[in-house]
Amino acid sequence: MFFVGTAGSVPTARRGLPALLVRRGGERLLFDCGEGTQRQLARSVGLLDLDEIFLTHYHADHWLGLPGLLKTFDLRGRERPLTLYGPPGLADLMVLALRAAGRVRFELSLVELEPGQVLERPGYKIAPLEVAHRGQAFGYVLYEDERPGAFDPAAAVALGLRPGPDFGRLQRGETVEGVRPEQVLGPPRPGRKLVLSGDTAPCQKISVASYQADLLVHEATFAAPETERAEETRHSTAAQAALLAREAEVRMLVLTHLSSRYPPGVLVEEAQELFADAVVARDFDLVELPLPERGRPELRPWDRRWTPPEDTVVPPPQETAVPPPEEVSSSS
Amino acid sequence: MFFVGTAGSVPTARRGLPALLVRRGGERLLFDCGEGTQRQLARSVGLLDLDEIFLTHYHADHWLGLPGLLKTFDLRGRERPLTLYGPPGLADLMVLALRAAGRVRFELSLVELEPGQVLERPGYKIAPLEVAHRGQAFGYVLYEDERPGAFDPAAAVALGLRPGPDFGRLQRGETVEGVRPEQVLGPPRPGRKLVLSGDTAPCQKISVASYQADLLVHEATFAAPETERAEETRHSTAAQAALLAREAEVRMLVLTHLSSRYPPGVLVEEAQELFADAVVARDFDLVELPLPERGRPELRPWDRRWTPPEDTVVPPPQETAVPPPEEVSSSS
């Protein structure tokens, strides 16, 4: 999970407008696409040929980067289709976005999601959550399928099996020489769960979906002294996000969508008083989510190791003839 | 003259999309407003409360930063009106831009310019130039009024006057004790002239307007080996811009609107072979234009000295309560 832009409403020198990149295996999903997202990507992990973009809602700060991103994909000769997901209204929004972008020749699919819908993926699911903002707005929960329980080799040996291919078959759920998998496997283990709040006042949908989540990324547009203002604008304070995280027993809370009017230290302090595992994201921060038994998630600055592997490096623009991109070369 | 964004079409890690800021006395004019312009300003000279924005044409890379910029002005409670200038079609564009921006409560004036029109300003003029791009597109020339000739104190003394207030009156064009200004002043001196090409193939309008200009900012989307491609897309090569600058006898040529596919060194070399006073702009570079008799213009990286004086520092967003902007505080 990579923080492409962590500002709310207005960008600052240090924070770009909202966008989050979720990577799982070879998949890369972008959530929201504020103005400047294509450049934020170019400045960090690279401007990937994304296949899917999810929008949380249609306030300007969450989608104004889309026309430029689509235009850039087109300029570099993209042919792969792209799918956009969002709350109802997506088709209307895209009429506007495409008029702004001008010609876009690759195929665009639009999927207007309904609350309660679940997108099935190999090994995980994505579900929109209706949150409490101005107008219809979504958060998203991404949760992996249950994994088989831990394998107990001693139990298998005690039942007369020998280490080797039989152990693998048992772990894949096969019965081997009369030994059933449930005799040598612990209880099924949950997959990882990631919850993205989008823009919202504290809301029960997020609270419920976040139960024991590995990571909750929650907006914190305000600090506690402005709780009333947060309620009026249907946003959250850092304290509210922390309280929700604590009650939901999440493993880690990352605050984002920050207003430029607070030093981030104020928000961290406010949140940590209520929930110790709370941090504030900066642009280009990264959280890797280990399997629960393998350690805790941790927020750290992105480094080149997270750069996409060779096969996803995108070609230079269509019109190319004289290669080396300027980043490689001269100037200071 | 401040280079807010120097990329053409597609932003890169180092270059934002097109925008130029021209400062003269207390006036600040923005030319073009590519996606991310508001953030480029926030990262450098500050997000000024601009009063006037000029667009060269309506390709996406030149205006997609406008909805977000207007939205941000609105969010921080702007009340001052803002005037937008551009080729015919501006009103249609702004219908689209305002639908994208959402609510904007300050007054917006739109001025569709015609080629040949001249905007009169105190001490200078701004004129759009019809250039050779795809669809109607403008460059702009900004030229100051003629200044009185150089005052010759020795001549005044020889004519019987004494240094003091009389000298000032003569320089302001008054006749003093029978001495007429033309007796003690040299020939009128030209003001400064700045030409912005916008996106264009080499074109005579720019060539003529650039005659002895102090500064020509010309696009250089391509290098010479792609002259044909430049012609097809109605852009220029660095060599073409240099040749035009040389023939027009400009004092300095700055190349901008660069494609990411050339190292800037290639373009500088190509241009300097034809015209020695050619340079390539980087984002946040600055050119100050001294009066011709006071030295040559020079391209240098922006520094804090060019930051707007106190009185133009903009208030934090409307909803403010807890001030210090995050830039002032903690984090790395």
Side-chain angles (χ1 to χ4, degrees):
Chain A
M1 142 111 279
F2 178 69
F3 291 87
V4 183
T6 60
S9 319
V10 172
T12 69
R14 296 200 178 181
R15 295 182 186 272
L17 289 167
L20 287 167
L21 184 65
V22 175
R23 186 178 81 164
R24 182 176 183 277
E27 287 185 86
R28 283 167 189 81
L29 314 176
L30 186 72
F31 289 85
D32 283 333
C33 188
E35 182 188 347
T37 295
Q38 58 170 329
R39 179 131 193 257
Q40 290 287 92
L41 289 169
R43 292 177 66 200
S44 56
V45 297
L47 181 41
L48 317 169
D49 259 334
L50 301 160
D51 292 320
E52 301 187 293
I53 301 177
F54 292 78
L55 298 177
T56 59
H57 63 303
Y58 306 134
H59 288 160
D61 55 326
H62 289 256
W63 71 271
L64 275 178
L66 205 47
L69 182 68
L70 299 180
K71 184 76 193 167
T72 290
F73 284 157
D74 183 72
L75 280 172
R76 63 187 195 190
R78 178 181 177 122
E79 292 181 355
R80 294 158 70 165
L82 175 70
T83 306
L84 289 157
Y85 301 85
L90 181 62
D92 290 344
L93 181 87
M94 290 309 298
V95 169
L96 183 60
L98 288 171
R99 280 191 58 204
R103 188 179 61 175
V104 167
R105 288 160 297 183
F106 56 90
E107 191 189 320
L108 271 180
S109 306
L110 307 184
V111 181
E112 295 194 349
L113 298 171
E114 295 295 337
Q117 201 172 341
V118 174
L119 303 174
E120 300 276 352
R121 298 300 167 96
Y124 74 106
K125 296 180 178 62
I126 306 175
L129 303 169
E130 185 149 28
V131 295
H133 195 44
R134 309 187 305 278
Q136 190 169 29
F138 286 169
Y140 289 96
V141 53
L142 290 80
Y143 52 105
E144 292 178 322
D145 300 343
E146 267 191 349
R147 295 173 295 142
F151 178 66
D152 181 349
V157 170
L159 290 166
L161 298 179
R162 268 178 310 183
D166 286 347
F167 279 24
R169 291 168 60 201
L170 280 164
Q171 288 178 69
R172 285 190 299 274
E174 297 175 34
T175 297
V176 176
E177 296 180 21
V179 177
R180 281 165 292 111
E182 55 270 31
Q183 295 180 271
V184 293
L185 295 178
R189 292 171 294 182
R192 293 170 295 181
K193 181 159 69 172
L194 164 62
V195 179
L196 310 175
S197 77
D199 282 14
T200 185
C203 99
Q204 200 175 1
K205 281 273 169 32
I206 292 292
S207 179
V208 169
S210 298
Y211 179 65
Q212 293 191 344
D214 295 270
L215 175 60
L216 167 61
V217 178
H218 203 287
E219 71 124 294
T221 311
F222 293 91
E226 290 191 275
T227 303
E228 204 173 310
R229 177 96 189 111
E231 177 52 30
E232 275 164 36
T233 57
R234 310 297 278 153
H235 282 294
S236 301
T237 67
Q240 288 170 331
L243 204 60
L244 186 150
R246 184 175 76 188
E247 285 170 2
E249 302 171 23
V250 308
R251 303 185 76 208
M252 183 184 203
L253 168 66
V254 180
L255 301 175
T256 187
H257 199 272
L258 308 182
S259 159
S260 60
R261 60 190 169 298
Y262 309 106
V266 167
L267 301 176
V268 175
E269 222 171 273
E270 176 176 316
Q272 289 185 347
E273 256 178 46
L274 294 161
F275 183 68
D277 295 316
V279 290
V280 164
R282 293 165 305 186
D283 283 16
F284 307 161
D285 271 351
L286 171 70
V287 183
E288 276 179 295
L289 290 187
L291 289 170
E293 66 274 20
R294 298 215 181 137
R296 301 192 66 75
E298 201 183 318
L299 186 78
R300 60 178 171 78
W302 164 76
D303 61 44
R304 300 272 149 195
R305 276 183 297 152
W306 221 64
T307 300
E310 278 309 311
D311 65 336
T312 65
V313 165
V314 293
Q318 218 184 354
E319 314 154 331
T320 304
V322 186
E326 64 175 301
E327 279 62 49
V328 171
S329 81
S330 72
S331 75
S332 63
Chain B
M1 145 107 279
F2 178 70
F3 291 86
V4 183
T6 61
S9 320
V10 172
T12 69
R14 296 198 179 182
R15 296 182 186 273
L17 288 167
L20 288 167
L21 184 66
V22 175
R23 187 177 80 164
R24 183 177 182 276
E27 286 185 87
R28 284 170 189 82
L29 314 176
L30 186 71
F31 289 85
D32 283 333
C33 188
E35 181 188 347
T37 295
Q38 58 170 329
R39 177 130 194 256
Q40 290 286 92
L41 289 169
R43 292 177 64 200
S44 55
V45 298
L47 181 43
L48 317 169
D49 258 334
L50 301 159
D51 293 320
E52 300 187 293
I53 301 177
F54 293 78
L55 298 177
T56 59
H57 64 301
Y58 306 135
H59 288 159
D61 55 326
H62 289 255
W63 72 269
L64 275 178
L66 206 48
L69 182 68
L70 299 180
K71 184 75 192 169
T72 290
F73 284 157
D74 183 72
L75 280 172
R76 63 189 195 189
R78 177 180 176 123
E79 292 183 356
R80 297 156 69 165
L82 174 70
T83 307
L84 289 157
Y85 301 85
L90 182 61
D92 289 343
L93 181 87
M94 291 308 298
V95 168
L96 183 60
L98 288 171
R99 278 191 58 203
R103 188 179 60 175
V104 167
R105 288 159 296 183
F106 55 91
E107 191 189 319
L108 271 181
S109 306
L110 307 184
V111 181
E112 296 194 350
L113 298 171
E114 295 295 337
Q117 200 174 341
V118 174
L119 303 174
E120 300 274 352
R121 299 299 167 96
Y124 74 105
K125 295 179 178 62
I126 305 175
L129 304 168
E130 184 149 27
V131 295
H133 195 45
R134 309 187 306 276
Q136 189 169 29
F138 285 169
Y140 288 96
V141 52
L142 289 81
Y143 52 105
E144 292 179 323
D145 300 343
E146 268 191 348
R147 295 171 297 142
F151 178 65
D152 181 350
V157 169
L159 289 166
L161 298 180
R162 271 181 305 185
D166 286 347
F167 279 23
R169 290 169 60 202
L170 280 163
Q171 289 180 66
R172 284 192 298 274
E174 297 175 34
T175 297
V176 176
E177 296 181 20
V179 178
R180 281 165 293 112
E182 54 270 32
Q183 295 179 273
V184 294
L185 296 177
R189 291 172 294 182
R192 292 170 295 181
K193 182 160 68 171
L194 164 63
V195 179
L196 311 175
S197 77
D199 281 14
T200 185
C203 98
Q204 201 177 0
K205 282 273 169 33
I206 292 293
S207 179
V208 169
S210 298
Y211 179 65
Q212 293 193 345
D214 295 270
L215 175 61
L216 167 61
V217 178
H218 203 288
E219 71 126 292
T221 310
F222 292 92
E226 289 192 274
T227 304
E228 204 173 307
R229 177 98 189 112
E231 176 52 30
E232 276 164 35
T233 56
R234 310 298 278 153
H235 282 294
S236 300
T237 66
Q240 288 170 331
L243 203 61
L244 186 149
R246 184 175 75 187
E247 285 170 2
E249 302 172 21
V250 307
R251 304 186 76 209
M252 183 184 204
L253 167 67
V254 181
L255 301 175
T256 187
H257 200 272
L258 308 183
S259 159
S260 60
R261 62 189 167 298
Y262 309 106
V266 167
L267 301 175
V268 174
E269 224 171 90
E270 175 176 317
Q272 289 185 345
E273 256 178 47
L274 294 162
F275 183 67
D277 296 317
V279 290
V280 164
R282 291 165 306 186
D283 283 15
F284 307 161
D285 271 351
L286 171 70
V287 183
E288 276 179 295
L289 290 186
L291 290 169
E293 65 274 21
R294 298 215 179 137
R296 302 191 64 77
E298 202 183 317
L299 186 79
R300 59 177 171 78
W302 164 76
D303 61 43
R304 301 270 149 197
R305 278 184 296 153
W306 221 65
T307 299
E310 278 311 311
D311 64 337
T312 65
V313 166
V314 293
Q318 216 184 354
E319 314 154 330
T320 303
V322 185
E326 65 174 299
E327 280 63 48
V328 171
S329 81
S330 69
S331 73
S332 65

